[in-house]
Amino acid sequence: MRYDFGSDNTAGMAPAALQGLIDANGGYARAYGADDVTARAADQIRRRLDADVDIRFVFSGTAANAIALSMLACSHEAVMAHHAAHICTDETGAPGFFGQGVGLLGLPGQSGKVDQKALEAILAEPEVGHRQPPAALSLTQSTEYGAVYTEEELRHLIEPVKARGYGVHMDGARLANAAAAGFDLTQIARLGVDVLVFGGAKAGGLCTEAIVLFDKTLARRLDNRLKQAGQQASKARYLAGPFLGMLESEAWEGGAAHANLMAQRLAAGIATRSAYVLAHPVEANAVFVRMPARAHAKLNALGWACYRFDDGSVRFVCSWATDEAAVDELIAAVAGLA
């Protein structure tokens, strides 16, 4: 099987990330995040966000999301999110595990974007003692369906949530792709996001993400929380090193821009050369295609790993490592299915 388009997780580490890891390995350094590599990587993130934030590097996006949400909602409360968000569909109840019972309230919306009216409706519901009331909103940028929220769209979702004193979390596993598509990272703090997961793995890094706290009051005893959860690395420089390599070289942005460009090439080729239609606008690095089960199975049999998503479409994901030749081979394969 070829896994070129199965996920952006199937690509290896970007050269800049690997070099960052090698560089971090030199000599001795203070442990538990008190080293220079970790500090420099955190400063690179602060510069991109144009915000004074607290940052911790952890081992996975699932842990980053779940721990972040556990800071925003109590065990008797719930987090609102798009029903296709990663926290709802692919994290095996981790938010509830780390939050000791925190619930999830799934919301509808096109292409993974939370529908504003649906959000307002759930906010307007009376609180009763028999179900978990909302306490926070989780937004994914870019979404699970490759859409990129505009600043205005985010504002319309965040303002009513903040007006009620609720928290806001942003899952930025593919934040680099959103930035490459034109999203201004400096707006995240200004929009009122409390906690951001700044993506590294899908951007070409190691399997690590960064928890970014805009609300610094949430940082109280954060290191104790991470230690208890098995997410405090003794050799933290190895988590931060790949980030530092990508951020200092701007490969974090460059790789995402390349991935987005390859997705546009793939989408255009499928739209013009095959009998299949695109299921969602292509705004980041993912392409979703309406394809019958028989055609999908045939494509898998030809050796192309690709997966059917919960809306019934088949997903193809480009990465920093995707090359034009592979895109063109896939286009030809899809065109030949008919």
Side-chain angles (χ1 to χ4, degrees):
M1 292 292 289
R2 291 187 59 170
Y3 294 91
D4 308 39
F5 302 93
S7 169
D8 35 11
N9 286 322
T10 64
M13 291 175 67
L18 188 57
Q19 187 60 51
L21 182 62
I22 293 170
D23 293 344
N25 191 50
Y28 294 87
R30 295 181 68 182
Y32 294 104
D35 60 279
D36 179 61
V37 171
T38 300
R40 286 165 56 199
D43 282 342
Q44 284 287 330
I45 293 175
R46 292 186 186 99
R47 182 174 67 80
R48 282 164 172 76
L49 300 173
D50 190 27
D52 181 19
V53 292
D54 279 348
I55 297 171
R56 300 293 189 279
F57 297 94
V58 297
F59 291 100
S60 77
T62 294
N65 284 332
I67 291 171
L69 293 175
S70 74
M71 301 178 199
L72 300 178
C74 297
S75 61
H76 58 281
E77 296 173 325
V79 174
M80 301 171 290
H82 192 278
H83 64 75
H86 205 267
I87 62 170
C88 294
T89 62
D90 290 283
E91 296 188 355
T92 322
F97 177 78
F98 281 89
Q100 299 181 323
V102 166
L104 297 171
L105 298 172
L107 297 172
Q110 292 294 319
S111 300
K113 292 182 178 181
V114 171
D115 180 77
Q116 183 182 346
K117 290 183 178 179
L119 173 66
E120 291 171 349
I122 202 168
L123 291 174
E125 289 183 1
E127 289 190 13
V128 298
H130 303 285
R131 58 176 180 263
Q132 292 172 297
L137 172 66
S138 177
L139 298 165
T140 306
Q141 182 72 318
S142 57
T143 75
E144 297 297 329
Y145 284 101
V148 178
Y149 283 104
T150 66
E151 177 190 339
E152 183 179 6
E153 288 172 330
L154 289 172
R155 180 175 293 106
H156 287 316
L157 295 172
I158 292 173
E159 283 183 351
V161 171
K162 300 294 286 188
R164 286 165 173 76
Y166 300 164
V168 177
H169 158 261
M170 180 174 284
D171 179 352
R174 294 186 175 95
L175 188 63
N177 300 100
F183 177 65
D184 182 0
L185 299 182
T186 67
Q187 295 302 315
I188 299 175
R190 300 181 180 101
L191 286 165
V193 173
D194 297 294
V195 188
L196 164 72
V197 175
F198 191 97
K202 290 177 171 61
L206 197 59
C207 302
T208 55
E209 312 286 90
I211 298 176
V212 180
L213 301 179
F214 294 94
D215 179 357
K216 286 192 167 188
T217 65
L218 298 174
R220 181 176 180 270
R221 295 178 176 171
L222 174 57
D223 291 323
N224 305 84
R225 185 189 297 262
L226 294 175
K227 185 70 172 182
Q228 184 185 62
Q231 291 295 319
Q232 189 181 60
S234 58
K235 296 184 178 182
R237 55 178 165 154
Y238 297 119
L239 302 188
F243 269 101
L244 182 60
M246 290 192 296
L247 294 170
E248 283 193 337
S249 66
E250 299 186 350
W252 188 80
E253 294 91 346
H258 172 77
N260 289 5
L261 184 63
M262 292 298 98
Q264 292 289 342
R265 184 184 183 94
L266 177 60
I270 290 175
T272 58
R273 293 183 54 191
S274 79
Y276 308 110
V277 298
L278 302 180
H280 300 277
V282 179
E283 297 174 350
N285 65 319
V287 179
F288 292 82
V289 181
R290 296 289 181 202
M291 183 181 294
R294 183 176 179 180
H296 180 211
K298 185 175 180 181
L299 191 62
N300 286 160
L302 290 172
W304 295 97
C306 52
Y307 307 99
R308 190 170 295 277
F309 243 53
D310 57 3
D311 73 331
S313 64
V314 176
R315 186 190 74 167
F316 304 91
V317 188
C318 299
S319 73
W320 69 269
T322 304
D323 60 50
E324 292 185 2
V327 171
D328 293 343
E329 285 183 61
L330 178 57
I331 292 169
V334 172
L337 294 176

